[in-house]
Amino acid sequence: MLSQKQLEDLRQTRRHGIGRMLLLARKDFMARLYATLAADGNPMPPSSGGTLLPFIDLEGTRSVDIARRMGVSKQAIGKALKELEDACLVTRTQDGVDGRAFLVTFTPQGVEYLLKIHEAIDKVEQHYAALVGEAGLEDLRRHLAAIAYQES
């Protein structure tokens, strides 16, 4: 059995664990993003397809690379890619280099949708800047880039 001190230490460790805070921050970010998109009269991204959008480069990305970036199998992203295609946000074409692979590119409508998403992201970031200050937000961005992209 844990002592009261051990329980309290565990509570604090869990509350301030980086993994938990990143997950909770992502949950908050996504909720604010979707609320902002809705308030601005923009459609929500397709349910599972919306999770793929950050992993697709503007110049196009092979479907196998999207799967690798997400840490899932290429079969697992098939349904999500279909949702994005059905919403006319992306197209899939045979990769000219590897005939077995597909190149996923944004449609003009998809690029317009990305612009709307980034307008909403700007509003969410304004909220965060009010919470932690402009300098705090820039520090957070710099630290997250160091972790996400292994940049110093």
Side-chain angles (χ1 to χ4, degrees):
M1 185 89 181
L2 294 176
S3 70
Q4 241 355 80
K5 176 160 179 17
Q6 289 171 316
L7 277 173
E8 186 54 37
D9 288 348
L10 181 56
R11 274 190 199 94
Q12 288 302 311
T13 298
R14 290 192 73 216
R15 180 171 173 77
H16 297 287
I18 190 84
R20 186 175 189 177
M21 288 190 297
L22 285 169
L23 289 171
L24 292 172
R26 182 184 188 282
K27 180 181 175 188
D28 181 82
F29 174 82
M30 297 306 292
R32 289 178 189 282
L33 176 62
Y34 290 162
T36 303
L37 283 169
D40 290 346
N42 294 307
M44 293 297 106
S47 58
S48 62
T51 61
L52 295 182
L53 294 175
F55 298 98
I56 303 170
D57 297 326
L58 289 176
E59 58 277 357
T61 307
R62 292 181 335 139
S63 56
V64 293
D65 292 329
I66 296 168
R68 181 185 46 76
R69 291 173 182 180
M70 292 184 70
V72 300
S73 71
K74 60 184 177 181
Q75 293 80 12
I77 66 165
K79 178 183 175 209
L81 280 174
K82 178 80 170 97
E83 286 181 3
L84 291 176
E85 280 183 304
D86 290 348
C88 299
L89 298 177
V90 301
T91 60
R92 278 190 279 189
T93 56
Q94 289 293 134
D95 183 357
V97 177
D98 181 353
R100 298 168 299 157
F102 289 97
L103 184 65
V104 179
T105 54
F106 288 105
T107 63
Q109 184 178 338
V111 172
E112 287 297 319
Y113 188 69
L114 284 179
L115 290 170
K116 290 176 182 177
I117 288 174
H118 282 275
E119 287 173 11
I121 288 171
D122 287 344
K123 291 177 181 179
V124 173
E125 288 182 359
Q126 289 171 14
H127 170 79
Y128 292 151
L131 194 63
V132 300
E134 290 290 338
L137 185 61
E138 285 310 309
D139 285 345
L140 176 61
R141 189 184 314 280
R142 185 171 37 82
H143 293 305
L144 288 173
I147 293 168
Y149 305 121
Q150 300 295 297
E151 297 174 351
S152 54

